[in-house]
Amino acid sequence: MEYTHTLEPAREAPPAASLIVERLSAWYGARQALRGVSLEIAPGQVTAVIGPSGCGKSTLIRCLNRLHEVAPGTRVEGRVLLNGEDVYAPGVDPVLVRRRVGMVFQRPNPFPTMSIFDNVAAGLRLNGLASGYELERIVIHSLHQAALWEEVEHKLRQPGTALSGGQQQRLCIARALAVQPDVLLLDEPTGALDPVATLKIEELLRQLKERYTIAIVTHNMQQAARVSDYTAFLLAGEDRVGELVEYGPTGELFTNPRDPRTEAYITGRFG
Amino acid sequence: MWRGRASFDRALGGLHDEVLVLGSMVDKALERSIEALRRLDQQAARDIIHNDLTINQKRFEIEEQAIELIATQQPLARDLRTIVAVLHIIVELERIGDYAEGIAKIALLHGDQPLLKPLIDVPRMADKARDMLRRSLSAFIEHDAQAAKQIAAEDDEVDALYDQVYRELLTYMLNDPRTIDRATWLLWVAHNLERSADRVTNICERVVYEVTGRMEEMNVSKY
């Protein structure tokens, strides 16, 4: 099967979505993981979330697309406003939230039994969003957006798992983009990748932010400094509950942090 | 859990020490240049000119150390500001060294001619500039932004002395045009000292940046 359609955007690019977090707290059973986090994730920008292990970084972004509540016994308080609408309002379908707020994880996780094409098409087919020509068009466009098209255009029927780690991760990004989300969340997306594959993903994020609001959790402060426009620093206090310590433009936070705890963390004095 | 940064802290401490060494070399060069001028000691003047190469070499060494720290440690926040401050401060120090060399050259220029007049305000300018220089480096080591601002404000005293020297030398030149050469040389000396104090002001700006993260112009010289 050959795909030769000209590349067109699947839709007119709308303004990037706004995502506002208000007094967000999260629990795993009786244990509180996050307390009172408020921040406005800048539309059309990359926001990095940094902090030591156990500070609630992953929990925070999992709350943004209601993935936190998938684990048993979990609970969330506060509001997450996506383009002004609270994703936790009664009657909101979490599946729809997750479609609008896509997530990419640390380990590339293509569907093992599916081809490259079918991996990207999966979400569209599952949700009945597209079929036939339209489906092909969106898959190709998503692969282009994920900077993977040139590497896979002649092997779309091969299994996704046959790709290299970096390519698999970009395949997962293509899969997330295919359902046309407003926001892209990435949880340590380069944690399992080599430096070259890492730089490709980082370059990709810089391109994607023109159309998407992006939040990335990273352990790697240099990566946060390289890739993000804004950085949020979370830290768990003595009670092991994560709180937002500082949030601001990345350049400022990494050269002149306001809070001494941020200074101590990014200069390696603890963590 | 603490990440190991003992070796990085040692390297940063070493960088501070090297800046102090360079500062002390430059301070001595200024002191000797004024002494060589006062005594019109040609050999001392030639030594100062020769020694400037050592000062330049030291500056390059520190610069290389700083670049290596950036490349290997990826410093952030205060660490980053410290290294950036060092990179600026060593340039300022090297330029003050060049002013000392310039004064030594003026001593050589005199050849067999005596000084136009005994040096009074010129050594005062040198003492003030050197005092500011030493204290600015202490402020850097002690992360004392307040002291740095105070030192920068004292640049006005050097400027006032320069005005005084300028007016005095102008009077000499107007009264007797045959003095124009030697008066101009002394004016250059005073100008070099005035510029040295300005460079110290720049060092003070870097100290404030290192401590506060804010870039502020401290004292706009009127020259």
Side-chain angles (χ1 to χ4, degrees), chain B:
Chain B
M1 187 176 74
W2 290 66
R3 252 190 286 159
R5 54 167 284 154
S7 63
F8 180 44
D9 280 334
R10 266 199 305 281
L12 271 183
L15 207 57
H16 275 122
D17 291 347
E18 290 289 279
V19 170
L20 284 183
V21 169
L22 180 62
S24 148
M25 289 163 79
V26 168
D27 180 40
K28 278 209 169 58
L30 262 187
E31 181 187 25
R32 286 178 183 155
S33 71
I34 296 299
E35 203 43 43
L37 180 70
R38 193 205 305 272
R39 294 191 279 111
L40 290 179
D41 182 336
Q42 307 272 310
Q43 186 51 48
R46 274 190 287 272
D47 287 348
I48 291 160
I49 292 164
H50 182 72
N51 267 339
D52 191 54
L53 296 174
T54 321
I55 290 177
N56 297 350
Q57 187 54 42
K58 179 56 103 184
R59 174 235 151 150
F60 286 133
E61 281 171 20
I62 300 174
E63 189 168 341
E64 278 170 8
Q65 284 175 31
I67 290 169
E68 191 176 313
L69 278 182
I70 293 174
T72 57
Q73 302 288 334
Q74 289 111 38
L76 291 170
R78 169 71 76 87
D79 298 332
L80 176 62
R81 300 203 304 272
T82 298
I83 293 176
V84 169
V86 164
L87 284 170
H88 279 273
I89 288 171
I90 59 177
V91 173
E92 305 295 349
L93 290 174
E94 193 216 309
R95 294 309 303 266
I96 298 175
D98 292 342
Y99 295 133
E101 184 193 12
I103 293 170
K105 282 180 175 164
I106 291 164
L108 284 184
L109 265 183
H110 277 76
D112 294 335
Q113 301 179 75
L115 287 169
L116 176 63
K117 59 181 283 298
L119 300 179
I120 300 162
D121 287 332
V122 162
R124 273 190 204 147
M125 286 180 79
D127 287 346
K128 185 66 200 172
R130 288 178 51 216
D131 176 56
M132 288 168 63
L133 170 63
R134 287 190 298 263
R135 283 159 53 221
S136 72
L137 294 177
S138 298
F140 176 58
I141 299 300
E142 287 159 18
H143 311 292
D144 189 341
Q146 220 32 54
K149 286 183 181 177
Q150 169 61 34
I151 296 158
E154 293 171 23
D155 184 46
D156 288 348
E157 294 176 37
V158 180
D159 286 351
L161 282 167
Y162 181 56
D163 270 347
Q164 214 163 295
V165 171
Y166 176 77
R167 278 195 303 272
E168 190 184 6
L169 291 172
L170 200 61
T171 313
Y172 271 93
M173 290 191 272
L174 288 172
N175 288 345
D176 180 358
R178 287 173 304 172
T179 64
I180 286 178
D181 269 356
R182 285 181 298 159
T184 306
W185 295 340
L186 286 186
L187 198 55
W188 288 346
V189 170
H191 182 70
N192 278 1
L193 294 171
E194 187 274 323
R195 295 300 304 157
S196 296
D198 282 348
R199 297 280 173 178
V200 174
T201 303
N202 293 348
I203 292 174
C204 292
E205 286 174 0
R206 292 295 144 184
V207 174
V208 171
Y209 169 71
E210 193 261 350
V211 177
T212 66
R214 282 194 303 277
M215 304 218 186
E216 295 174 40
E217 184 137 40
M218 302 250 163
N219 210 351
V220 184
S221 174
K222 54 184 183 171
Y223 299 105

Side-chain angles (χ1 to χ4, degrees), chain A residues 3 6 18-19 27 30 32 35 60 68 79-80 114 131 134 146 164-166 168 170 217 232 244 246 254:
Chain A
Y3 297 93
T6 53
S18 78
L19 195 61
W27 287 261
Q32 188 169 5
R35 181 189 297 121
L60 171 62
H68 176 66
R79 303 206 301 167
V80 175
M114 288 188 194
S131 61
E134 179 67 5
S164 73
Q168 287 187 25
R170 279 178 283 141
V217 165
L244 179 69
E246 186 163 349
F254 282 109

Side-chain angles (χ1 to χ4, degrees), chain A residues 174-217:
Chain A
R175 186 175 67 194
L177 297 177
V179 294
Q180 305 179 5
D182 296 308
V183 178
L184 191 59
L185 306 173
L186 303 104
D187 192 352
E188 296 265 355
T190 62
L193 302 184
D194 67 51
V196 173
T198 296
L199 287 179
K200 275 193 183 162
I201 299 276
E202 291 178 1
E203 184 54 35
L204 174 59
L205 295 183
R206 279 188 278 271
Q207 291 165 14
L208 289 175
K209 74 175 185 180
E210 287 177 13
R211 290 191 54 193
Y212 302 94
T213 297
I214 296 174
I216 173 174
V217 165

